[in-house]
Each structure stands twice: as structure tokens, then as C-alpha cells.
Amino acid sequence: MKKFLKSLVEKNRGISELGNVANYIPGLEKSNKHALGLCIIKTNGTIYSIGDYDVKFTIQSVSKPITLMLAILDHGEEHVFSKVGMEPTGDAFNSIQKLETCKSHKPFNPMINAGAIATSALIKGADNQERFDRLLNFFRKISENETLEINNDVYLGEKRTGNKNRAMAYFMKGEGYIDGEAEDALEVYFKQCSIEVTAKDLTKIGLFLARGGVMSNGERVVSERIAKIAKTLMITCGMYDGSGEFALRVGIPSKSGVGGGIMSVVPGKMGIGVFSPALDEKGNPIAGEALLEDLSDELSLSIF
Ligand code: GLN
């Protein structure tokens, strides 16, 4: 199996040539365009780690379903979905368009930037420090990695340059979809995007969801229902305006990030983590998507 997985990684590594690493957030441009890593952990504990599986990168949008789970734990499903919807947009992940043009002005879903900022605003805590600490501890717990930390340079870089996200946060605040202050929501959001992980960390979180919200020691951290919400939004919106095509090509609930990560969940079977920093025009890891398509075909992993 390891040999077979290695051959899939090597086959797809060249596809990175067709993409580009993100450079709109200072620091991300330093990634090696040709890196490709894969980690798989089955629910029986078998682990496969190939290529650049232990290279650190910032989690970026892969953080969104994780924050969503803690927001629901903190406030319940009804309140969370009164602030953010659950429908795909068909627009880019950072689009402001539908916020302004749709009548309700409610962000469409928690996997795009607007909806994720509204979700970050829902993390409970006396102040921003406590809010982010609670969130970071939740990431550490479900990744079973107590050493997770933020990359401070990437955080400060995005805080300084993230004006489109800032515009959306203030707009949503004006429309009543941000609990608390817009700047506080942004601080939590920029920090969560800057958490450094490896493909292996993402695999652990995928495995947690594959087990329906249960850690490998058997501890239940979120309900089946909350895990189901995260997986459902991943398959419908997790690859932004590429989600429909990805559902057909791969058919595995997945969440991408512009740092190059993809976290995938084969329910009841395995967690999968990918690191592939060269992105396609929609901001999804280009070689990573091709690798997951091969994996899905070869191992019959599509849920459809
Ligand atoms: N921090 C990034 C942003 O807000 C996350 C985007 C992504 O990974 N798609 O633009």
C-alpha cells in the first residue's frame, strides 16, 4: 500500500507546475511550489505518510469547519445559523458580491471568508485572548497535537493586508451578523488562519470527523450532529466555487486552504491530509486535488 501511495504522490507532483503559490498574504509566497505530501490514517489506526507530510504550513481556510464546530458547541445550531447560512455561493472564497446584492445580506456559508468571519465572532470568551486560546485549545485537542501554535509573521501580515476581509466584517456588523466588534472577529479569524499544521495534523482532524466527533482514545468531543454539519458543509462548500466539480471528481468531504492544505474525511473509514501549496485559479491546491481524485478512484472512496 505504501509503495502504491508513493507512486500516486510522485505521479501528481508535476501537476504543481500548473499552479501558483498564494502571495496575497505576506509569507505564503515562500512555500515550495513543488511540495506534495499525503497522510492517511484509517479508523483502525493504520497510518501512511508520504512525501512532504511533515512540512509546516498555515492552516488558512481549513480552519473554517473547525471553528464552526466550536461556535455550535458554544451557542447551538440555531443561533449560529441565524448569523451564517448553509448554501454554496458559486463565487470566489473572498467575494464580497453576494453580501451586498442578496436581500438578507447574510453570509452564505461558513466556508467562505465572510461566513467564517461571522463564525469566528461566535467563539465565547471574556476577551480576544480568551476567545482565541479556547479556539487554539480546541484545534490542539482534535488534532491530538498539543504543540500547535500560530505563525506570528503570517498573522501580522494578514492583519496588515486583509482589507477585503475587514470590509466584509464591517459590512456584516452593520447588518447585524457579527456578534461583538468587527475588529475582534477579525483578530480571531486572522489568528485561526495562521495556525501552523502539517498534513499529518489535518489527517488527525479528518479522522476525528470520520469517527463522527470522537477522538482516537474514544472521547466524544462533539455530537454526531455537529460532525455531520461540518462534513456536509465541506462537501457542498469546502472547495468554494470548485465544490461541485470536486464532488464529482473526488466525492470526499474536504476543506482546502490557500496555505496548501486539504483536510478530507471518508466517513467511518479514514482521515486524509494533503499539503500542496501550488493553487489553481480558484485557490484550491492543484496537485492535491488530482492526487485525491486518483486516490478516490483507486480505492473507491467516493461517498456517492
Ligand atoms: N486567510 C485567508 C483569507 O482570508 C484564507 C483564505 C483561504 O484559505 N481560502 O483570505
Side-chain angles (χ1 to χ4, degrees), residues 59-60 63-64 67-68 70-71 74 116-125 127-136 139 150 155 158-159 166 179 181-195:
I59 189 165
Q60 299 298 340
S63 62
K64 291 170 178 173
T67 304
L68 174 66
L70 185 58
D74 278 359
I117 295 165
T119 311
S120 301
L122 292 168
I123 301 304
K124 277 189 178 163
D127 52 26
N128 272 356
Q129 188 65 46
E130 189 181 320
R131 276 190 276 273
F132 182 67
D133 286 348
R134 287 189 63 245
L135 188 57
L136 181 60
F139 276 66
I150 68 167
Y155 161 59
E158 187 167 4
K159 189 180 158 100
R166 190 162 277 114
D179 276 9
E181 295 306 317
E183 280 305 327
D184 292 342
L186 286 163
E187 184 175 327
V188 173
Y189 173 74
F190 291 146
K191 280 189 174 163
Q192 79 180 50
C193 287
S194 306
I195 295 173

Side-chain angles (χ1 to χ4, degrees), residues 158-204:
E158 187 167 4
K159 189 180 158 100
R160 183 162 45 81
T161 60
N163 292 314
K164 229 176 136 176
N165 285 329
R166 190 162 277 114
M168 289 194 279
Y170 278 91
F171 183 83
M172 290 187 290
K173 176 71 194 168
E175 295 295 337
Y177 292 112
I178 295 280
D179 276 9
E181 295 306 317
E183 280 305 327
D184 292 342
L186 286 163
E187 184 175 327
V188 173
Y189 173 74
F190 291 146
K191 280 189 174 163
Q192 79 180 50
C193 287
S194 306
I195 295 173
E196 272 192 323
V197 291
T198 63
K200 190 171 174 187
D201 295 320
L202 298 186
T203 311
K204 286 271 178 94

Side-chain angles (χ1 to χ4, degrees), residues 54-242:
D54 59 354
V55 174
K56 283 189 179 175
F57 56 93
T58 53
I59 189 165
Q60 299 298 340
S61 286
V62 185
S63 62
K64 291 170 178 173
I66 304 160
T67 304
L68 174 66
M69 287 192 279
L70 185 58
I72 301 175
L73 276 177
D74 278 359
H75 292 275
E77 195 180 322
E78 206 180 316
H79 183 68
V80 171
F81 289 106
S82 71
K83 302 286 177 185
V84 59
M86 43 173 92
E87 301 301 336
T89 60
D91 297 331
F93 67 83
N94 58 356
S95 175
I96 200 165
Q97 195 174 325
K98 284 203 169 65
L99 268 189
E100 162 67 357
T101 56
C102 286
K103 229 162 127 200
S104 75
H105 303 302
K106 181 174 168 177
F108 265 56
N109 69 71
M111 302 294 122
I112 51 166
N113 289 7
I117 295 165
T119 311
S120 301
L122 292 168
I123 301 304
K124 277 189 178 163
D127 52 26
N128 272 356
Q129 188 65 46
E130 189 181 320
R131 276 190 276 273
F132 182 67
D133 286 348
R134 287 189 63 245
L135 188 57
L136 181 60
N137 282 331
F138 185 68
F139 276 66
R140 287 175 174 166
K141 181 157 187 138
I142 66 172
S143 65
E144 302 184 15
N145 183 352
E146 283 302 312
T147 71
L148 293 187
E149 283 295 349
I150 68 167
N151 178 322
N152 210 43
D153 290 342
V154 172
Y155 161 59
L156 293 175
E158 187 167 4
K159 189 180 158 100
R160 183 162 45 81
T161 60
N163 292 314
K164 229 176 136 176
N165 285 329
R166 190 162 277 114
M168 289 194 279
Y170 278 91
F171 183 83
M172 290 187 290
K173 176 71 194 168
E175 295 295 337
Y177 292 112
I178 295 280
D179 276 9
E181 295 306 317
E183 280 305 327
D184 292 342
L186 286 163
E187 184 175 327
V188 173
Y189 173 74
F190 291 146
K191 280 189 174 163
Q192 79 180 50
C193 287
S194 306
I195 295 173
E196 272 192 323
V197 291
T198 63
K200 190 171 174 187
D201 295 320
L202 298 186
T203 311
K204 286 271 178 94
I205 300 171
L207 182 66
F208 168 79
L209 285 170
R211 292 166 174 270
V214 175
M215 307 214 317
S216 52
N217 65 5
E219 182 187 342
R220 174 166 292 286
V221 180
V222 303
S223 63
E224 286 262 7
R225 171 76 183 178
I226 292 178
K228 179 176 170 177
I229 292 170
K231 287 180 276 193
T232 306
L233 283 157
M234 284 164 68
I235 194 78
T236 55
C237 312
M239 310 297 281
Y240 323 113
D241 46 336

